Amino acid sequence: MTQTIENNKKRRKKPILLYFFIIMLIIVLVGIYGVKKYVDNQLKPIAIDNIKEVQVTIPKGSSSSKIAKILKDNNLIRNELVFRLFAKYEKMDNKFKAGKYVFNTGMTQEEIMGKLVEGGISKDAITFTIPEGFELKQIAERLHEMNLADKDTFLELASKVSNFSSEYEFLKEVPEELSLEGYLYPDTYEVYVDASEKDIIRKMLNRFDNLYTDEIKAKAKELNLDLNQVITLASIIEREGRAESEREIISAVFHNRIKAGMMLQSCATVQYILGERKPVLSTEDTLIDSPYNTYINTGLPPGPIASPGIKSIEAAVNPADVNYMYFVFNEDEEGTHTFSVTYEEHKKAKNRIRKK
């Protein structure tokens, strides 16, 4: 009888212990997940838009902890400890070199560490900045003015996706007849003064490749948009959306018009055809026979009309949940627009703005 009672107690203890171990395992797994999520967040760039260039000097003999403090003080990393641990994990902490560096707030910690391993800026390096919304020809002109590239050579290389599609998987999704318009990411770059036109193009394509994340790809797939459609729409948003807070709303207007089978009627696409940014388009301008003219063609134009920044790319796949079909520029310093659902509301908004 006593033996039976003891056996029953042992049987009861087994499931209690099993439940205890399961609960402890869940707690540990949740803890690991929480730590991983926190670390991943700390490894992200400081900014994804309004990226700023930052020059720093790493003194000789600086330890990884001192370098981390310099980077944190200059708002280039989020967490000193995470930086040091990540550097140790990647076996880079003893490879950092002293010197002068040009970083930017859009760089990941891994990119920053890579530059620290390569070494500082030499007297033969130079930086250049390409603003968001620049067209290929404007990029070429800026590089030409800085004596970094021959304009004609640069434009010739950038005129065909096929010149670089063997090197970049994402370019295989872009129609071969298109140029690299829209895919040379606007940012601040550092190159050697003797860098070739190809070197510069590759650097800009690498930046685009890094920023076109799996999350953006997944959103695009949900909307049934391919890469070229996303960047084409993003480039129009970039040129139309002056106020950052409105980009997702402008995106929604274009999405709504496409769904309704309406023409986008974007002034930016006509300005692209004209090769100039006229503040007011004439009736003749809107009737130009071109596949890029969204006043006479439905849907998106064949390809991008400028280089969009990450904010506009994200807006293209994250349209606001609104039913607006029209917008008109308020002609204010903030660059805001008035949005309307019906054409009658739109006409009233235009008349009100004209009377100001």
Side-chain angles (χ1 to χ4, degrees):
M1 182 69 176
T2 303
Q3 185 67 35
T4 302
I5 292 171
E6 288 179 0
N7 288 338
N8 287 338
K9 285 182 179 179
K10 287 179 181 179
R11 281 196 293 269
R12 282 197 299 272
K13 283 182 180 179
K14 283 183 179 180
I16 291 172
L17 286 172
L18 179 61
Y19 293 147
F20 175 76
F21 283 123
I22 290 173
I23 291 170
M24 290 303 295
L25 179 61
I26 291 171
I27 291 171
V28 170
L29 291 175
V30 169
I32 292 172
Y33 174 77
V35 170
K36 183 181 182 303
K37 192 170 182 180
Y38 174 77
V39 170
D40 287 344
N41 185 61
Q42 297 303 302
L43 291 173
K44 289 180 179 178
I46 292 292
I48 57 173
D49 59 347
N50 292 326
I51 293 171
K52 297 178 181 178
E53 182 180 295
V54 182
Q55 295 188 24
V56 299
T57 299
I58 304 298
K60 288 183 179 180
S62 296
S63 63
S64 60
S65 60
K66 185 172 182 178
I67 293 173
K69 186 177 187 310
I70 292 171
L71 296 174
K72 182 69 170 65
D73 289 344
N74 283 276
N75 197 35
L76 286 164
I77 62 172
R78 297 173 182 271
N79 189 295
E80 293 178 43
L81 178 60
V82 171
F83 178 88
R84 288 163 53 197
L85 291 174
F86 187 64
K88 194 171 187 63
Y89 175 78
E90 293 290 332
K91 297 179 180 178
M92 291 185 179
D93 55 329
N94 293 320
K95 298 179 181 179
F96 295 153
K97 297 180 177 68
K100 293 183 179 180
Y101 293 85
V102 176
F103 299 115
N104 68 66
T105 54
M107 296 176 71
T108 64
Q109 288 202 19
E110 191 170 11
E111 289 171 332
I112 291 173
M113 289 178 190
K115 290 190 75 169
L116 287 168
V117 170
E118 288 175 9
I121 303 168
S122 73
K123 59 184 178 182
D124 297 324
I126 191 169
T127 62
F128 67 91
T129 299
I130 302 301
E132 296 174 349
F134 254 35
E135 298 172 20
L136 268 180
K137 63 178 184 179
Q138 291 175 297
I139 296 173
E141 285 167 1
R142 173 156 295 192
L143 293 172
H144 185 78
E145 289 168 1
M146 296 182 70
N147 294 318
L148 283 171
D150 176 76
K151 182 170 67 174
D152 294 334
T153 302
F154 185 90
L155 288 174
E156 176 61 28
L157 286 167
S159 67
K160 296 178 182 178
V161 166
S162 57
N163 287 338
F164 295 89
S165 56
S166 62
E167 300 177 49
Y168 297 91
E169 194 66 28
F170 72 87
L171 286 180
K172 293 177 182 177
E173 300 177 44
V174 181
E176 287 187 0
E177 67 273 13
L178 294 182
S179 69
L180 292 176
E181 187 79 83
Y183 298 97
L184 300 185
Y185 191 79
D187 204 348
T188 296
Y189 296 92
E190 174 196 328
V191 295
Y192 291 112
V193 291
D194 61 351
S196 68
E197 288 82 3
K198 273 193 173 183
D199 292 335
I200 294 171
I201 289 173
R202 287 188 182 110
K203 205 168 188 73
M204 299 178 79
L205 288 173
N206 286 335
R207 184 77 174 123
F208 179 94
D209 197 17
N210 289 335
L211 285 171
Y212 197 69
T213 62
D214 289 339
E215 184 180 352
I216 295 174
K217 292 174 188 175
K219 289 276 189 179
K221 190 174 182 181
E222 287 176 18
L223 294 169
N224 199 29
L225 296 174
D226 61 29
L227 170 64
N228 189 56
Q229 290 171 321
V230 170
I231 303 306
T232 299
L233 178 54
S235 69
I236 298 174
I237 294 168
E238 185 67 59
R239 293 279 286 103
E240 295 277 10
R242 306 185 192 188
E244 288 190 11
S245 59
E246 292 185 350
R247 293 190 192 192
E248 292 186 357
I249 305 175
I250 289 173
S251 174
V253 170
F254 290 136
H255 276 281
N256 293 341
R257 291 178 78 92
I258 290 171
K259 287 177 186 176
M262 298 171 65
M263 289 178 285
L264 299 187
Q265 296 185 319
S266 165
C267 295
T269 61
V270 178
Q271 290 168 342
Y272 181 69
I273 302 164
L274 293 171
E276 61 175 310
R277 300 186 177 183
K278 291 175 67 173
V280 180
L281 298 178
S282 67
T283 301
E284 290 75 17
D285 292 335
T286 62
L287 296 176
I288 295 173
D289 184 15
S290 168
Y292 282 84
N293 188 350
T294 56
Y295 277 84
I296 61 173
N297 299 293
T298 56
L300 292 165
I305 61 170
S307 291
I310 190 63
K311 191 81 173 179
S312 292
I313 294 172
E314 290 177 336
V317 295
N318 291 284
D321 185 15
V322 293
N323 59 350
Y324 295 131
M325 304 295 282
Y326 305 88
F327 61 84
V328 60
F329 179 45
N330 288 327
E331 298 182 11
D332 57 8
E333 292 181 1
E334 291 76 23
T336 63
H337 295 80
T338 295
F339 297 89
S340 305
V341 175
T342 68
Y343 184 62
E344 287 302 315
E345 292 174 352
H346 180 57
K347 282 198 299 183
K348 288 178 182 177
K350 287 173 71 176
N351 290 332
R352 185 170 63 252
I353 292 167
R354 285 172 185 163
K355 289 177 181 178
K356 285 184 178 180

